[in-house]
Amino acid sequence: MENRIALTGLGIGALALVFFLAGIGRPPMPIFDEPLYVNGARSLLSGTQDLNPEHPPLAKFFIAAAIKVAGDTPFGWRLAGAIFGALTLVAIFFWTYLLLRDYALALTAATLTLCNNFLFVMSRVAMLDVFYFAFVIWGVLAFTAAILLEISLPQRRALLGASGLLFGLGAACKWNAVVTLGAVGLVAAALYIRDSHHLRKVGITTLGVALIFVPVAAYVLAYWPLCYRFHRPFAVMDLSEMNAFIWRYHVACPGNPALDVQWYRWFFRASPERGLSYLMGNFVVVWGGLVALAICAWRFLRSSALAEGLVTLFYATNLLQWVVIPQKRLVYYYYFPPAMFLGVAIVIVLSRAHSPRLFGIRLSVLLLLASAVFFLYCYPRMTGLQSPYDCMFGCWA
């Protein structure tokens, strides 16, 4: 069975990568925030001046590596993002299976996530979010495996260390990864206090090293190639200055009234982000997922069910960070990370309902069909097909 799960994960990753890469060179010019990060990657290759100091460097190194391999073309800009998008989908499949131990429902969660439009669009642009979230969801997977699998104590500690490493690398792509790391820390503290899920055996020292020291070390070390490339000292003062600039920039950045969308308007947005490959969440997943999430939260409050609690916490923290972060610029694609948990929430609810049916057909099948129809409706615009194929299934006014 475990071999079947691993092979299925590999198959999902390979198929997703092919799917994301098909026509990824369209449009042939940078879109939305791509110029910022493509130019930042180019500056890493030239070694002259950091043209995108307002974010940590790791994701831009991945973009730069893809440009080095595939050329300074639209395909080269976006290649690395497609790879990390495929890795994200694989992690969603593994994580769902780990939570529910149900092969069919894990496949359902992966399919709903793929059809949610967010992953498809964000995997096909040279922007940072798909990189940091890939590390985040693999970090979540490693942590969940550490507390749920029946493995030896050294293996459990190794998984916790790997989780911290992944979160640190995520933060080295974009600071928002720290939010999910904080949520994982809260879960670990709660389970430790309750003497649950083996964490007392792991020990408080190991937990501290894995979830505090390792992420910080990974984040700091991710700056070494940047300092080497630009001939800057890899010293505390220089690292402090670079990170202080990141903070000041995002606090002061005024945003763009034409593009900014407040976080509470993301839930039920029904018009596409035309400048970003017509990004719009799949109504079946993002709206159905909210209903499922409410059910998960209610069940967690009643019975402290772990799967329901984790999916609710990770969605809420990734969303509500925008209530407290002192950043004026809020755009619709920031909903990408929380939206990735909605497909999982749906299948968790389906698993507890024991294969509910509507008109004699399993509800999971109906949801998959409906989400696929919506995805196909959006597909021509999301992939930049030319007229008349851009409106082959209908068109937005």
Side-chain angles (χ1 to χ4, degrees), residues 76 98 118 198 240 253 272:
L98 193 58
F118 275 99
H198 315 286
S240 299
C253 183

Side-chain angles (χ1 to χ4, degrees), residues 83-389:
I83 294 171
F84 275 78
L87 289 172
T88 297
L89 194 62
V90 174
I92 291 289
F93 169 76
F94 285 150
W95 188 53
T96 308
Y97 180 77
L98 193 58
L99 291 175
L100 302 178
R101 294 293 176 171
D102 189 304
Y103 180 79
L105 287 176
L107 278 176
T108 302
T111 306
L112 289 173
T113 302
L114 177 63
C115 290
N116 193 11
N117 293 357
F118 275 99
L119 182 61
F120 184 76
V121 169
M122 299 308 294
S123 299
R124 291 165 54 87
V125 291
M127 290 160 56
L128 307 184
D129 292 64
V130 74
F131 296 99
Y132 102 76
F133 188 76
F135 283 117
V136 162
I137 193 62
W138 278 92
V140 166
L141 174 63
F143 174 78
T144 307
I147 63 175
L148 290 185
L149 292 180
E150 293 300 326
I151 52 179
S152 67
L153 185 58
Q155 289 174 317
R156 206 176 302 282
R157 287 173 170 164
L159 281 171
L160 288 169
S163 178
L165 173 64
L166 289 161
F167 281 117
L169 295 176
C173 295
K174 198 171 182 180
W175 278 4
N176 303 82
V178 174
V179 173
T180 312
L181 173 60
V184 164
L186 287 175
V187 174
L191 295 178
Y192 184 89
I193 292 169
R194 294 176 59 185
D195 193 10
S196 177
H197 292 82
H198 315 286
L199 290 187
R200 285 283 179 91
K201 295 178 183 177
V202 169
I204 191 68
T205 302
T206 299
L207 282 174
V209 170
L211 300 180
I212 298 174
F213 175 78
V214 172
V216 171
Y219 178 82
V220 170
L221 289 173
Y223 273 87
W224 181 85
L226 180 77
C227 294
Y228 176 81
R229 191 64 177 156
F230 293 121
H231 309 289
R232 294 190 63 168
F234 184 61
V236 173
M237 286 300 297
D238 289 81
L239 294 174
S240 299
E241 289 174 7
M242 286 186 277
N243 283 274
F245 176 81
I246 294 174
W247 173 264
R248 291 195 303 269
Y249 174 87
H250 287 283
V251 170
C253 183
N256 185 338
L259 299 175
D260 291 351
V261 182
Q262 293 301 310
W263 66 271
Y264 51 82
R265 294 174 56 196
W266 297 341
F267 306 114
F268 301 108
R269 177 163 178 159
S271 59
E273 186 66 74
R274 286 172 166 77
L276 184 56
S277 301
Y278 277 72
L279 172 64
M280 182 173 65
N282 188 317
F283 297 165
V284 177
V285 183
V286 294
W287 296 353
L290 289 177
V291 176
L293 203 70
I295 296 172
C296 286
W298 176 70
R299 285 180 174 163
F300 172 72
L301 293 174
R302 285 191 62 192
S303 62
S304 299
L306 183 64
E308 284 86 344
L310 290 178
V311 75
T312 302
L313 177 65
F314 294 146
Y315 174 88
T317 50
N318 277 276
L319 174 70
L320 296 178
Q321 62 174 309
W322 300 109
V323 179
V324 297
I325 290 176
Q327 177 175 315
K328 301 178 182 68
R329 188 191 186 212
L330 293 177
V331 289
Y332 182 51
Y333 76 79
Y334 289 175
Y335 195 42
F336 163 60
M340 290 297 93
F341 294 101
L342 293 174
V344 181
I346 290 172
V347 299
I348 290 174
V349 171
L350 291 175
S351 73
R352 309 311 188 205
H354 306 293
S355 301
R357 293 175 180 269
L358 186 64
F359 306 116
I361 305 173
R362 284 190 177 186
L363 187 56
S364 59
V365 174
L366 293 175
L367 287 171
L368 286 173
L369 289 173
S371 64
V373 168
F374 191 97
F375 179 85
L376 287 174
Y377 174 78
C378 301
Y379 180 83
R381 284 299 184 92
M382 291 191 299
T383 54
L385 296 181
Q386 298 300 306
S387 179
Y389 304 106

